[in-house]
Each structure stands twice: as C-alpha cells, then as structure tokens.
Amino acid sequence: MGSSSAQVNNITISGLVKEKANNGPIAYVNIVVKNAKDSSFIAGTVSNEEGRFSIANIKPGNYSISYSYTGFMINQQPLLIGSLSAYINLGTITLEVDGQQLKEVIVNSKQDNLNNKLDKKTYSIAANISQAGGSVLQALKNLPGITTGQDGKVALRGSDKVAILIDGKQTALTGFGGQTGLDNIPASAIERIEIINNPSAKYDANGNAGIINIIYKKNKQEGFNGKIGFTSGLGALWQKKENLPNIRPQYQGTPKINPSLSLNYRKNKTNLFLQSDWLYTETLNKNEFVTRTFNDGTIINSQLKRNRNTHFFNNSFGIDWNINEQNSLTLSGFYGTEKIIDRGDQPFFNKDYTNRNRLWQFLEDELKTTVVVSAVYQHKFKEAGHVLNMGFNYTFHREDEKYNFVNTLSNSIGLDSFKLLSDEHVADFNLDYTKPLKHGRIETGIKFRYRDIPTNMQFKPGVNSPLDVNAGGAATYSEIIPAVYSNYIFESNKIEAELGLRIEYVDLQYKVNPNHNTYKSDGYNYTQPFPNVRLAYKINDQNKLSFFFNRRVDRPNEVDIRIFPKYDDAELIKVGNPALSPQFTNSFELGYKTNTKKGYFYTALYHRKTNGTITRIATQVPPSTLIYTVFQNAGKSSNTGIEMILQHDFSKAFSFNTNLNIYQNIIEAFSVLNKYPVPSLYSANKEVFTSGNLKLNALFHLPKQTDIQLTSIYLAPDIIPQGKIGTRFSVDLGIKKRIQQNKGELFLNATDILNTLQIKKDLVGNGFTLTSTDYFETQVFRVGYSYKF
C-alpha cells in the first residue's frame, strides 16, 4: 500500500538565538524573512526574554532569514520552506560580537519596560541611579504603582497584599504571604525587579495586588569575570524635630556602608557564580510624636524614638551544569544573616507636658538567619520551547529576638524582658511542563509545599510591669499546600488569549499553648479554584487592548496570627489573631498600550473586590489607657482605579517617564470583636476615599558618559485602618559616570534631598482618637564605585 501526506500551506518557523561566546540567550533580536528572488519583506519578529522566537503563516517557498542585534554581526542564511510539515525548528542560531565596533557596547536607549502581554513591567536596578547603593525597599519606591513605608510594607496600587518573590520563588527572606526584610537586602545584589499585576495560574495564588519578583545578579560570560563595588553614605544630617525632654539623643550623621562582590567562572558545560554583599547601616528608624485623646478628657503625649544598627550579610552561590543539549541542572544556595540592634526611648507626658507619667526604654537584640538550597532540573525536548522543569527548594529561617526594658514610673523603676525564638522550615517541590502549539502553547504543572514554624515566647516581668506573662508560651504553625495548574495560550494576527486555572488545597493547623489566657488552637482548610483570563486585541502594530481577570487569595502570615503581644510600643500593643481567615479577591483590569516613535503610553482601569478583608483594629478597654491592635477580618472592601505610564525620549540627551495612579478605596461597614486582653466590640461605618500618587522620572544623558536622574514622588492622603494618612512628598537625585573604558562606574545620589518626607496619621477608635507624625530618617547622601573585570 502507498501512503500520502496532506500539503501544508501555512508554516510556523521557530528557533533560539544565543551569543556564540558564552552560549547565553539574546533577547530582542530582530528576525526578518525576505523573498529569495527580490528581497521583498515577508515577515518579522523579535526574540523574547529567553532568546526564543516564532513566526507563523509562512507559505512554502525559498527565502532568506537574517538575525541582527546592536553590537553583533548580522547572521543571514538561506531558508527553504517545504509543505510537508506545519512546524520548522531552526534550532539554535548564534551571533558573534562585532569586533570592529566598540569593545563594549553601551546601550543608552531603554528597552520597553512593559512586556507585550501588558501583564508585567520590568525595571533594571542599574537604571535607578537615584537609589543606587540603598536597599531593595528604597529602590522599589521609585517604580510605577508602588508605595513604601518605613515599616517595610510595600503597597501596589493602594493595597499592601503583595507577594514578594526572589528569583521567582517565595522564601523566608521576604516572607511567605507577607513582607519582611526588604529594607535589608542591598540593591547592589539585584539585577532587576518585575512587577506582575495580573499573574497567571502558574504562580501561587496569594497576593491580591500582584507580585513583585526580585531577580538576583547572575553572570554567564565565558571564563573568569566579576564585579566589585563599594558604597558609603550619611543620613540624618540634621534634626527634623527635637526630642521631648530627658531622653537619649537621636541618631545624626548615620553611616551607610555597602561593599559587594560578584564572581563568575564559565568553562565548557559548567558555570559557577557567587554574589556576596554586606550592608551596614545606622538609622533613625522611627521618631514618632503621638497624641492620644480619650473620651473622658485624658490626653497623653508621647514620642517613640528608635535608633537602629543593622548588619546584613548575604551570599548567593551556585553552579549551572549543561549536561548535554537537552538536559541541564542548577544547584544554588543562599546564606544570609541580619543583626539588628535597636535602642528605643518612649516618654509619656500629660496634656501640657508638665508631668512625665512614664519613660519606657528598650534594647532590642535580634538575629535573623536564612538558609536556602535549591535544585532545578530542565529537560528540553527536540521541539523548540518544549520543556520539562523540576525543582526543589528548602528554606530555613531563624528569628532570635530579645528585648530588655527599663520601665521608669514616678515611684518605681522596673526591669522587664522577653525572648522570642522562631524557626521556620519550608520545603517546596514543583513540576512544570510547557509544550508549544501551532498558535500558542500549553503550560501545566503541580506544586507541593510543607511549612512548619515552632515559636516560643518567654516573658520576665519587673516591678509594676505592663507585660502579660500569661500570654506567652509555645505555638506551632503547620501548613501543607498541594496545587495543580494549567494554562492555555493562543495567538493569532489580531487576537491573544490566555486561560488558566489553579486549584489549591490548604490545611493550616495552629497549636497554641493550652494555658494561654485568651486563645485556643485554631486553624482552617479549604480547596479553592483560582482562574485567570487574559484577552487581547491587536488593533495594529502600535496599539493593543487587553482584558484581565484573576481570582487571588491572601492567607494570614504566621506573624498575623502570632498570639504573643509585642511591646516595642509600651502603650500601643500589637497582637496576632489565630482565628484569622484568608481573604479572597476578584480582580478585573482593562489595559491599553500605544507605541510611539520615541516611547509609549500605557493606561489601565482596574477593580478589585475583596471578601474577608484583613486589617488591624485598635481598641481600648477603660479605665486603662493601653490600646491593643489586633488583626481581624473586616468584611468587604474594594479598590477601583486608573494607572497611566508615559515614556518619551525627547532626544538622545533627555528622556522622561511619568506614572499617575488614582484609585478609590471603599471599606464597607463592619463589626468585629477583639478578644485580647478582654472582649471588646468595634463597629465602623462605610468609608469611601479617593487617593493616588504621581511619580516623575527625568533622565539626562550628558557628554563623557555621564547620566543624571531626577525623581519626584507625590503621595496623596489615603485611608488606613480606622483613619487616614496624610500627604507625602520627596525628591531624589542621582549622578552616574562611566569610566575606565566603561569597566568602572562612579555615582553620587541623594534621597529626599529637600527633607520633606514625613508620615502623618489620624486614627479613631472606640473611646479614643490618635494623631501622630513620624519624623524618621529619609534623607541620605551616598557615593559609590564599581568595577567590572
């Protein structure tokens, strides 16, 4: 018997573009297909971030295909398109550096920060000149849609429910479902930051506002190479507001020191890498002046001043092993320590400051240790883009915290203390599979997480102690999360679609000291679907319209349900709530982007609706003037807004970027019961408030490879739990100059150069009002140098 094959008239070609010298992928390569007879244009595209490309709808025939990218020689090849296969894999195409051009090509023009799907924005740390030498938290504040606070919290489009990833993974370094440590990660260790407002089902379902992915530096050049750097700075050059009487001085002229080292060795199939950073800072971490007014007429004035010393040391290291063309293995590790010493003073005065009621002083000695080990295996099938990834990630995080207090009253001096020891163990396993299709691809996978956190708090009271010794003891947080997901991606000339579904099962157990005076053992479990949808219409080559839908969850972090009261503020005491439940959010977004000859304009309308909103609620139980803030599920809330980004290059010497974000927050009426220290009911009426922020970035390219960046940030008043936060404004300035044939770099920058940033808050509780202004350290001058070898 004979056989026959149907003729194929529309062919898809694909391939992978790499640099010949180091075998690394090259993004944004121009690929052009021309007719072999008359060189007329047939089709074209650019490679993606992985160096991959695909061109569809090519008719059978003879063509030529060329690959071009700045600083590399053009690679042109003949191309025969047959009619027996719908797919042609061109394999790996290599480009050679053009030796006749500059020894090192410096690209001053910026890549488009917003990806083609309109769901992710990518920002290079090197381009953030005004925050060079600072922390990741400080670098984040300049990025579109993000606001930050001195408490380490990050908000995206007005919500602080943001998932923080390190190299695409959640680790205890930045918190699982929460945010910790961002102010102590040196920005010098980071390559880029990704903002993902509408994550696909491939990502964990937590973080209703989106995901911030922090990518560590990792070089892959051939041979031995690296980079060294050193930054030094001073902050708090003068006092914003003087202390209340008879307490220890505020920190002034606070030093900042950040040496860094990056090493890489690549030979044949092996790549070794090391990134090491040490960050030492002295900071006026808090300088908050508070007035509490109670319904019985009592007024208490206080100041909470905190001088902080921080040593943060981290090492990221590993090995990439290309076993063969189809298989690779990456083994990596991270070791970090964070040593914090806080010296705090908190005097409490009566209404007219004629009598000091109490002086609360403390010494906090905290050591955090983080260890992460990871293994990632990848198998590439013969078809380009057809891959299987398998990964294992283990994180250990220890929090060893000691507080010693001096409680000075009018007739006694008490010595109090407590000690907290918390060990966090997290193991993640994931299996991810991707298969290209004729007009898109399929992604599917599974993930399993086990998390265990035994915690112990011991109180040692002194004379007339405010410490609640019966609220201590042991508690253990245990969590398992198996999940499965699948995504289908479709693309045609005009239409794009992405349909995804993630199903997660969560079982949380929280075993509490049975002798605790308020709380008993609590936990929860659920099986929930988390779908995502992206639909896009390509109006033309310059304009695209996209619609997104996501369902997300924010599970309470271990700190949110931690049963132990915290006394770094003697009369405003924070307590967790083990009865806290997850909050679920549905998000909708309509995005539009238009490209211009010298930039782009992007705008998005978004709406998020949340059930079981997690927030802190402050209550007071008369006749005591102590205020307790406890996490609660406060019912329904919503966030509706518009975000706009305009990027324009006026000339080779000047470019401008502005980001405007306006949103309305609505918190529906609710009632909650704070159980600690005794039951106290709090009820709130519906609140509606419109807020926003404006960020302006101006970049000047001067002669002799000198760049200047000027950044201005305005944050409008906004609502916070039980109150409002006032206007915030700051201006940052940075100067960078490349030297030593572009191998060296000098920079000088200043944050909050006008020293205008301060935090004003107004709170209303059941029987009290609280007004505060925090004059913490915001102005810092830095100078730094780095050299690539």
Side-chain angles (χ1 to χ4, degrees), residues 11 433 458 638 703:
I11 316 299
Y433 174 77
Q458 298 298 326
S638 64

Side-chain angles (χ1 to χ4, degrees), residues 60 95 98 131 158 245 390 441 462 496 597 621 706:
L95 300 186
D98 190 348
Q131 294 294 338
M390 182 167 59
R441 68 184 184 275
E496 295 175 2
K597 291 183 178 180
V621 182
T706 301

Side-chain angles (χ1 to χ4, degrees), residues 30-34 40-45 55 64-68:
N30 290 304
I31 298 105
V32 177
V33 177
K34 295 183 179 180
S40 59
F41 177 83
I42 300 298
T45 187
I55 303 176
S64 68
I65 184 168
S66 64
Y67 309 85
S68 61

Side-chain angles (χ1 to χ4, degrees), residues 284-471:
L284 181 58
N285 180 258
K286 197 174 189 70
N287 192 26
E288 187 175 31
F289 291 78
V290 179
T291 298
R292 287 177 291 151
T293 303
F294 297 89
N295 285 359
D296 63 2
T298 301
I299 295 177
I300 298 176
N301 294 297
S302 65
Q303 175 192 1
L304 177 55
K305 174 188 64 66
R306 194 160 58 209
N307 292 330
R308 170 168 291 183
N309 292 28
T310 304
H311 297 260
F312 188 87
F313 177 65
N314 75 41
N315 286 280
S316 179
F317 48 88
I319 179 172
D320 299 316
W321 180 30
N322 294 315
I323 303 169
N324 51 44
E325 290 185 0
Q326 281 75 45
N327 299 281
S328 63
L329 178 67
T330 296
L331 301 175
S332 61
F334 174 89
Y335 174 76
T337 61
E338 180 184 354
K339 178 70 171 179
I340 298 174
I341 299 292
D342 268 356
R343 296 174 176 86
D345 295 79
Q346 190 176 26
F348 296 89
F349 286 84
N350 62 350
K351 178 180 179 180
D352 56 6
Y353 296 93
T354 56
N355 184 45
R356 191 181 74 186
N357 304 322
R358 177 205 297 266
L359 175 60
W360 182 250
Q361 295 177 298
F362 61 84
L363 171 65
E364 177 190 9
D365 184 349
E366 183 175 12
L367 177 64
K368 296 180 181 180
T369 305
T370 304
V371 178
V372 182
V373 292
S374 299
V376 178
Y377 166 76
Q378 183 181 77
H379 174 73
K380 297 179 182 177
F381 298 88
K382 291 183 178 181
E383 182 185 3
H386 188 187
V387 296
L388 177 71
N389 292 301
M390 182 167 59
F392 175 77
N393 190 71
Y394 170 74
T395 297
F396 169 77
H397 180 73
R398 167 165 287 182
E399 183 181 353
D400 187 348
E401 184 177 15
K402 296 181 285 290
Y403 270 89
N404 292 291
F405 304 101
V406 179
N407 181 27
T408 304
L409 301 173
S410 58
N411 57 358
S412 68
I413 297 178
L415 301 179
D416 303 85
S417 66
F418 72 73
K419 176 178 173 60
L420 171 71
L421 183 64
S422 174
D423 285 344
E424 183 169 12
H425 305 268
V426 187
D428 284 331
F429 171 79
N430 65 280
L431 188 68
D432 301 287
Y433 174 77
T434 302
K435 180 175 175 56
L437 303 173
K438 183 176 182 180
H439 297 293
R441 68 184 184 275
I442 290 175
E443 299 173 336
T444 188
I446 59 174
K447 182 173 182 177
F448 180 82
R449 169 175 294 162
Y450 172 74
R451 190 171 173 219
D452 184 68
I453 312 176
T455 306
N456 196 291
M457 172 78 85
Q458 298 298 326
F459 292 106
K460 293 185 178 181
V463 178
N464 294 320
S465 174
L467 305 185
D468 184 354
V469 296
N470 295 317

Side-chain angles (χ1 to χ4, degrees), residues 5 19 48 130 133 135 212 257 292 363 391 411 424 427 446 454 459 506 531 538 564 584 595 640 666 693:
S5 299
E19 184 177 350
N48 65 15
S130 63
S135 69
I212 295 175
I257 301 172
R292 287 177 291 151
L363 171 65
N411 57 358
E424 183 169 12
I446 59 174
F459 292 106
V506 175
K538 293 178 280 189
F564 315 123
F584 294 90
N595 294 310
T640 305
I666 298 177
N693 52 75

Side-chain angles (χ1 to χ4, degrees), residues 83 216 220 421 456 596 631:
S83 59
Y216 266 78
K220 287 191 175 182
L421 183 64
N456 196 291
T596 64
F631 276 111

